Structure formats: structure tokens, C-alpha cells
């Protein structure tokens, strides 16, 4: 078939994602619309009915969800069209897109009021006039890596810094079209298909009735991208968001746009100790009502930045970070007017003083140029760490950076940081920590010097998964579970719950083909498939 290509060396980059793990596959396709996608599935059904199918967006994922475990790679990056727009009764705009639309492009086209309108119906064009005639709108989910596709972001329930204010991807998706492994389609609009308790009844476009048992576990009250969404009376849209490419293929999405804030300012608040920075965050949460992001950089991250500034031409324009600064909290304010922004700025200074700091130790960015420098500061940290690891890999090729992605409830922030510090010190590991402290969601990055450190870091993460679960947290807050955090998911929910997830999966994908290796180990999935065949 024209759409399916046998594997060849030119496709080797599609064997990996940003987790930097490699898989293998025997064929690949790049459909450009839902009809082509379904034709690929029909052909696979005929020629390779049991072959695994791995869905890919932009492959920026960090959990190896898009890394194939044999079979076929279904790459959706060419399904990147803008399909229409509607305005709801409340005035909100819903943009209908294909899953391969890239976030950076979406943002640019929205800001420039230049969305492609080819093929749009009259209602969409009328909504577009209203969009362009009114206050500027944007799409708030911001998983840092703007080359991500919106389909991949939905499949991971991506978040990022602004999720402190806007939450993850989930609430910003109002409708989905999902192609199931057999090519049948579910057309789901938020509010129209709800579970009764934990039973979700859906009818496919082909007329097939599905009765799905939603797993019985209770999800943590924290930022969470660990396993399937499961709640009494839940919306069907939510089941597919965050499902890591295992339940169906998102072939269309409706994205809910939000009004652009009138004033956006950034403040880097520096502290002489980590303890002061943590106290600042606890004090700031109830006081700063305009905070859109509260982000953290620990002393090691600042140290890495100091070296990067002197050692890398790309970072010379960064402001110098005095040695006395041992921790930084970045606050992004989004306010309706400048008066409000000044009030919040003053409040930020007061909060810094209340924890023993001083507003003199802050950088305030009010202009686009200054905010761009702050962005460079934030991006320079992970980039410098990647460069450091690349240097270390010359002598220890098996190592990679190990980044954690766990969240805990607000009241456990100090406890979890104490846990990280104590156990890192006991293991003698180097680390640098940054991330979304407003959501108690830090990326602790272990920086292995050799294979021994690498193994010790992995072991440490396993122990953190258990401890974070005991604190009421999530083992993956935003990157998804993919293939590399399956053990953590098991620690979080236990074996019976993982079996419930596997049964739900095979109710939608009876041969267990989609996203094979994600969420469950293959033996567990095969057992669920066999049980389903026997009618258990
Ligand atoms: C430098 C860097 C920083 C990052 N920072 C953040 C951050 O701050 N916050 C955050 O949330 N994430 C972050 N990420 C990772 C983030 O998960 C991805 O950027 C994004 O969410 C995945 O989109 P993608 O298109 O690349 O998906 P892929 O990597 O291609 O796929 C991800 C998963 O989604 C599935 N999938 C993809 N498309 C579909 C579809 N149409 N239907 C069904 N399943 C599908 C795949 O099978 C896979 O399981 C970061 C990544 C990098 C490299």
C-alpha cells in the first residue's frame, strides 16, 4: 500500500524520542488525514493483524511513549491542518485542529491572526471574524518544548510552568475524535458522554456499543499524568487525554482558547538558602492571586548557570548570578492592569522580606526584551545540564541525565524536598533541581558521573516513587508514564489497579496493539488479552 513504507535507515530517527531510548519497527506511515490513517489501519489489519502500532507526534516526549516496540510506527506529524472554529454560548473560542499541529506554530499564527482558513465553513469563518475582532486569545498549555504537537500534548496531558494558573492540557480540550485500533471512530464532545459511576457507555461511528469499566482507584489530588484518568461520572474526553497512545489515536481535537492577559511581568526572586525559597513559595501561594507560574532553580542549577555564562557563547548575555544567591523562585504575574501588577510586585517584595530575603535580590522584567532574557535564563539551565551529560558520556556512554517528574500535595512540599536532599546526600550523587514548585512538582536531575551513579540514581527514583505515593502524590506529574515509568505506576496504584487499566485497554484495543510497552509490561497486557479472548 502507498501509505505504508517498509523500514529503511532513512527512518531511523523515528526509533527514538527525547527520552533518548531507541526502539525498533518494521514499517512506518505518515497519514495526512483521518481517512488515510484509517486506510493504514485497514491495511495493517489485513497484512499484520497482531503487529504493535506506536503512535507518534513530534517525539519530544521524555517517557519513551513514542518509541516503537516492534511493528508499525504511525507518525501523525503530517496531520497538521487547522479545520475550523466555533464560539460557544459563553463566548469562548474552540479551534478544531489535526493532532500534528505544532505548538510553536499555533502560537505564532494566533498571535499574528493568520490561522489558515482553507476549507472552513461559513460558521467557522464568522467565528474567525469575531476572534480577530475581539481581545487577543492564546492557547495556554506550555510544556516548554514548543516543537511538541497538540495531539502528543493531549496524549500525555502535558503541563509546564503556566499550569500553576491554567492547569494541564485536559481542561483546554473540549472535543476529540479518536480512531480505535480497528479503524472505528469515537466522536466525543465534552459534556455529552459521561460515565454512570465507573461505567462508561459509548457508541462508535460504526454503531458498535462499548461498555467500559473505569478503574476503581482514587487519583491523587496533585498535578498528575500517571495512568488513566478515573473518576465517578467522568467525561469520556478525559479518558483519552493522558492515555499515552494506548487506547486510541487522536485524529482531531478542539482546543479551547483563553484571553491573553493584559500585563505579564516576570520576577526572579533570589534567596540565600533553599529553606527561605520554600517558605516563600508556601507564603506566596495564598497571597499572589495573579501568579501564573512559580518556578524553582536550586543552588546547583544556579552554579551550572554561572559556569555556562563564562563557558558558552550562547549564554554570555545572561545576567551574572552572585555567589551569595543559593536558590531562585521565578514568579510570573498575569494581571488585568498595571496597577494590579504593581500591587502584586510590592506583595512579592514583602513576601521575600518575610522569609529573611530582600527585594533588592530580584530581577523584575516588565518589557519583552527583559522577559526574553529571563526565558534564556530558564532555558540555559536544562541546556547546560544536557551539555554536561554529553561531555560525561564520552567516558561513560551508557549514562543519561535522570530527571524526576513527581508531585506532592501543597502541605508536603518541605517534606519531599527534605527527602530528596537526604537521600541524594546519602547516595553521594550530584544533582541539579528545577521546575514547577508552585505545583510541588520539581524535576530533580541526577547528574551521573559514571555507570555506578547511574544505577544508584535509578534506584533512588524507585524509592522516591514509593515515598511520594505515601505522601499522596503522583509518580508522573506531566511527562506521562510511557515505557520508562511503568514500575513507578505499579508502586503508585498497585498490581490490581494496573490489571484494571489493562482490562480497560483491551476492551478498546482487543489485541493490545496500540502503544505496546506503555503503562503495562507486555506480559501483563498479553494476560489481559488472553483473558478477554476466553471471555473472563
Ligand atoms: C526540553 C524538554 C522540556 C519539556 N518540558 C516539559 C514540561 O515542562 N511540561 C510537560 O508537560 N512536558 C514537557 N516535555 C515533554 C512533553 O511530554 C512533550 O513535549 C509533549 O507533551 C509530547 O508531545 P509530542 O508531540 O512530542 O508527543 P510524542 O513524544 O510524539 O508522543 C508522546 C506520547 O503521546 C502519544 N501520542 C502522540 N500523538 C498521539 C495521538 N495523536 N493520539 C494518541 N496518542 C498520541 C505517543 O504514543 C506517546 O505515548 C518536555 C520535553 C522536552 C524535550
Amino acid at each position: 500500500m502507498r501509505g505504508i513504507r517498509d523500514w529503511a535507515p532513512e527512518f531511523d530517527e523515528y526509533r527514538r524520542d527525547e527520552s533518548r531510548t531507541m526502539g525498533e519497527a518494521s514499517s512506518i506511515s505518515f497519514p495526512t488525514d483521518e481517512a488515510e490513517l484509517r486506510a493504514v489501519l485497514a491495511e495493517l489489519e489485513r497484512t499484520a493483524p497482531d503487529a504493535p502500532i506506536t503512535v507518534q507526534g513530534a517525539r519530544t516526549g521524555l517517557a519513551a511513549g513514542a518509541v516503537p516496540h516492534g511493528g508499525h510506527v504511525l507518525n501523525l506529524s503530517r496531520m497538521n491542518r487547522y479545520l475550523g472554529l466555533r464560539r460557544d454560548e459563553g463566548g469562548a473560542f474552540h479551534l478544531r485542529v489535526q493532532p500534528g499541529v505544532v505548538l510553536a506554530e499555533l502560537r505564532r499564527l494566533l498571535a499574528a491572526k493568520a490561522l489558515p482558513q482553507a476549507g472552513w465553513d461559513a460558521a467557522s469563518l464568522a467565528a474567525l471574524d469575531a476572534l480577530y475582532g475581539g481581545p487577543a486569545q492564546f492557547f495556554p498549555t506550555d510544556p516548554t518544548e514548543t516543537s511538541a504537537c497538540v495531539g502528543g500534548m493531549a496524549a500525555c496531558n502535558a503541563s509546564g510552568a503556566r499550569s500553576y494558573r491554567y492547569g494541564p492540557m485536559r481542561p483546554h480540550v473540549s472535543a476529540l475524535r479518536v480512531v480505535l485500533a480497528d479503524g472505528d471512530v469515537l466522536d466525543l464532545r465534552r459534556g455529552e458522554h459521561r460515565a454512570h459511576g465507573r461505567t462508561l457507555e459509548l457508541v462508535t461511528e460504526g454503531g458498535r456499543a462499548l461498555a467500559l469499566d473505569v478503574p476503581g482507584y482514587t487519583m491523587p489530588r496533585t498535578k498528575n499524568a500517571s495512568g488513566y484518568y478515573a473518576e465517578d461520572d467522568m467525561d469520556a474526553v478525559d479518558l483519552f487525554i493522558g492515555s499515552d497512545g494506548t487506547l486510541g489515536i487522536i485524529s482531531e481535537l478542539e482546543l479551547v482558547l483563553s484571553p491573553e492577559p493584559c500585563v505579564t511581568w516576570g520576577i526572579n526572586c533570589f534567596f540565600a538558602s533553599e529553606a527561605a525559597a520554600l517558605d516563600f513559595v508556601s507564603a506566596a501561594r495564598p497571597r499572589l492571586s495573579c501568579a501564573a507560574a512559580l518556578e524553582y532553580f536550586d543552588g546547583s542549577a544556579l552554579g551550572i548557570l554561572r559556569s555556562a555564562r563564562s563557558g558558552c557563547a550562547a549564554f554570555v548575555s545572561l545576567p551574572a548570578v552572585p555567589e551569595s544567591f543559593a536558590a531562585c523562585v521565578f514568579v510570573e504575574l498575569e494581571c488585568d492592569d498595571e496597577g494590579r501588577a504593581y500591587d502584586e510586585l510590592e506583595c512579592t517584595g514583602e513576601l521575600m522580606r518575610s522569609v529573611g530575603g530582600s527585594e533588592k535580590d530580584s530581577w523584575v522584567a516588565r518589557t519583552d526584551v527583559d522577559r526574553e532574557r529571563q526565558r534564556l535564563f530558564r532555558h540555559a539551565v536544562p541546556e547546560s545540564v544536557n551539555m554536561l551529560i554529553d561531555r560525561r558520556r564520552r567516558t561513560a556512554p551508557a549514562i543519561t541525565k535522570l530527571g524526576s517528574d513527581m508531585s506532592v500535595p501543597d502541605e508536603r512540599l518541605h517534606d519531599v524536598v527534605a527527602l530528596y536532599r537526604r537521600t541524594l546526600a546519602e547516595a553521594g550523587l550530584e544533582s541539579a533541581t528545577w521546575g514547577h514548585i508552585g505545583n510541588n512538582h520539581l524535576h530533580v536531575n541526577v547528574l551521573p558521573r559514571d555507570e555506578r551513579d547511574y544505577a544508584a540514581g535509578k534506584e533512588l527514583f524507585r524509592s522516591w516513587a514509593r515515598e511520594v505515593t505515601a505522601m499522596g502524590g503522583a509518580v508522573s506529574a506531566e511527562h506521562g508514564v510511557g515505557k520508562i515509568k511503568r514500575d513507578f505506576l505499579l508502586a503508585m496504584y498497585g498490581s490490581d489497579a494496573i490489571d484494571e487499566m489493562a482490562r480497560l485497554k483491551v476492551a478498546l484495543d482487543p489485541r493490545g496493539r496500540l502503544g505496546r510497552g506503555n503503562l503495562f509490561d507486555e506480559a501483563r497486557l498479553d494476560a489481559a488479552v488472553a483473558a478477554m479472548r476466553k471471555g473472563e
Side-chain angles (χ1 to χ4, degrees):
M1 185 204 175
R2 189 173 57 88
I4 297 181
R5 323 257 305 259
D6 286 338
W7 203 264
E10 67 185 285
F11 301 128
D12 275 351
E13 65 177 290
Y14 299 99
R15 291 168 56 202
R16 61 165 184 79
D17 67 4
E18 284 296 323
S19 69
R20 301 185 181 197
T21 51
M22 288 285 268
E24 41 94 25
S26 49
S27 64
I28 189 165
S29 60
F30 299 90
T32 63
D33 60 24
E34 189 182 285
E36 285 185 16
L37 191 167
R38 294 178 69 196
V40 166
L41 293 178
E43 183 64 9
L44 289 172
E45 186 70 30
R46 206 177 59 74
T47 54
D50 290 319
I53 300 169
T54 302
V55 191
Q56 293 184 341
R59 293 176 300 111
T60 69
L62 298 171
V67 174
H69 268 196
H72 184 75
V73 167
L74 191 60
N75 184 289
L76 304 187
S77 57
R78 294 184 197 166
M79 285 180 68
N80 57 1
R81 281 188 297 125
Y82 296 76
L83 302 172
L85 185 73
R86 77 178 165 91
R87 193 173 195 189
D88 67 23
E89 315 74 55
F93 291 96
H94 303 250
L95 182 64
R96 195 153 53 84
V97 295
Q98 289 184 322
V101 160
V102 170
L103 178 62
E105 187 203 58
L106 169 69
R107 282 191 185 161
R108 184 175 55 76
L109 294 175
L110 267 172
K113 300 190 172 177
L115 291 170
Q117 309 150 34
W120 285 23
D121 59 17
S124 289
L125 293 172
L128 192 66
D129 281 346
L131 176 72
Y132 289 169
Q137 303 273 321
F138 79 124
F139 185 68
T141 310
D142 178 17
T144 315
E145 181 53 67
T146 57
S147 61
C149 295
V150 292
M153 288 164 55
C156 291
N157 192 29
S159 291
R162 278 199 188 130
S163 64
Y164 180 67
R165 174 169 210 164
Y166 294 97
M169 182 80 173
R170 178 167 282 116
H172 307 289
V173 177
S174 53
L176 291 177
R177 279 180 70 80
V178 180
V179 180
L180 301 177
D182 64 2
D184 209 346
V185 177
L186 288 168
D187 191 21
L188 305 171
R189 180 164 288 191
R190 193 174 280 289
E192 290 182 1
H193 308 274
R194 302 194 77 89
H196 299 285
R198 299 263 170 159
T199 304
L200 183 58
E201 292 179 352
L202 298 172
V203 179
T204 64
E205 285 191 342
R208 195 152 46 95
L210 297 166
L212 306 173
D213 291 324
V214 173
Y217 49 76
T218 303
M219 293 183 297
R221 290 178 294 110
T222 62
K223 189 170 166 184
N224 180 25
S226 323
Y228 299 144
Y229 189 93
E231 204 173 41
D232 287 354
D233 306 330
M234 63 182 278
D235 198 295
V237 168
D238 290 329
L239 178 62
F240 293 93
I241 295 177
S243 64
D244 250 336
T246 59
L247 297 181
I249 304 150
I250 299 169
S251 60
E252 250 180 62
L253 308 81
E254 237 185 30
L255 305 175
V256 190
L257 306 182
S258 298
E260 277 270 16
C262 299
V263 180
T264 304
W265 289 356
I267 314 158
N268 279 86
C269 307
F270 293 96
F271 299 93
S273 70
E274 183 161 80
L278 297 183
D279 289 345
F280 171 80
V281 170
S282 297
R285 275 197 283 238
R287 294 280 307 280
L288 292 179
S289 54
C290 293
L294 291 174
E295 296 282 294
Y296 185 59
F297 303 92
D298 78 346
S300 307
L302 297 181
I304 287 168
L305 213 55
R306 284 185 200 104
S307 330
R309 189 170 172 269
S310 53
C312 175
F315 300 141
V316 282
S317 64
L318 285 173
V321 181
E323 292 288 339
S324 58
F325 293 174
C328 172
V329 179
F330 170 73
V331 180
E332 190 161 69
L333 298 175
E334 290 186 356
C335 304
D336 290 339
D337 57 58
E338 286 215 344
R340 189 65 205 276
Y342 275 110
D343 289 347
E344 292 268 302
L345 188 58
E346 201 174 303
C347 180
T348 305
E350 202 182 292
L351 289 165
M352 287 182 78
R353 287 196 298 279
S354 76
V355 300
S358 160
E359 65 262 55
K360 286 202 302 300
D361 297 336
S362 64
W363 303 338
V364 181
R366 297 189 191 89
T367 64
D368 286 350
V369 172
D370 285 345
R371 283 178 45 226
E372 198 43 53
R373 285 178 92 203
Q374 276 180 335
R375 243 191 301 274
L376 179 64
F377 173 92
R378 284 156 60 201
H379 287 176
V381 176
E383 267 185 52
S384 308
V385 165
N386 286 342
M387 282 167 3
L388 175 78
I389 296 294
D390 285 344
R391 283 197 298 278
R392 289 185 177 173
R393 277 165 62 88
R394 285 182 208 146
T395 50
I399 65 167
T400 59
K401 178 185 79 175
L402 291 168
S404 76
D405 179 35
M406 304 182 192
S407 62
V408 293
D410 284 358
E411 65 277 12
R412 304 308 296 267
L413 174 62
H414 286 65
D415 297 334
V416 83
V417 174
L419 167 76
Y420 294 151
R421 293 300 169 215
R422 178 176 57 76
T423 50
L424 283 164
E426 283 167 3
L429 291 169
E430 260 185 41
S431 68
T433 298
W434 62 84
H436 319 302
I437 198 164
N439 294 116
N440 316 298
H441 169 209
L442 293 172
H443 298 303
V444 182
N445 289 272
V446 169
L447 311 176
R449 288 154 293 204
D450 52 30
E451 281 83 0
R452 195 204 64 83
D453 275 3
Y454 186 61
K458 283 187 150 183
E459 189 47 46
L460 203 54
F461 280 21
R462 271 192 283 276
S463 74
W464 289 351
R466 292 189 293 272
E467 300 272 0
V468 159
T469 300
M471 291 184 194
V475 295
S476 171
E478 67 180 6
H479 297 157
V481 169
K483 297 181 180 68
I484 61 182
K485 285 185 256 171
R486 295 185 315 209
D487 290 358
F488 300 175
L489 190 69
L490 189 60
M492 179 168 156
Y493 281 135
S495 188
D496 290 350
I498 307 288
D499 281 337
E500 284 184 274
M501 285 189 223
R503 283 197 291 276
L504 172 58
K505 179 194 164 50
V506 297
L508 286 161
D509 173 17
R511 273 173 271 143
R513 301 168 74 196
L514 288 177
R516 211 169 156 77
N518 290 356
L519 301 184
F520 325 98
D521 69 59
E522 308 201 8
R524 187 186 292 270
L525 181 59
D526 288 340
V529 169
M532 162 107 165
R533 281 196 183 136
K534 276 202 254 158
E536 283 169 13

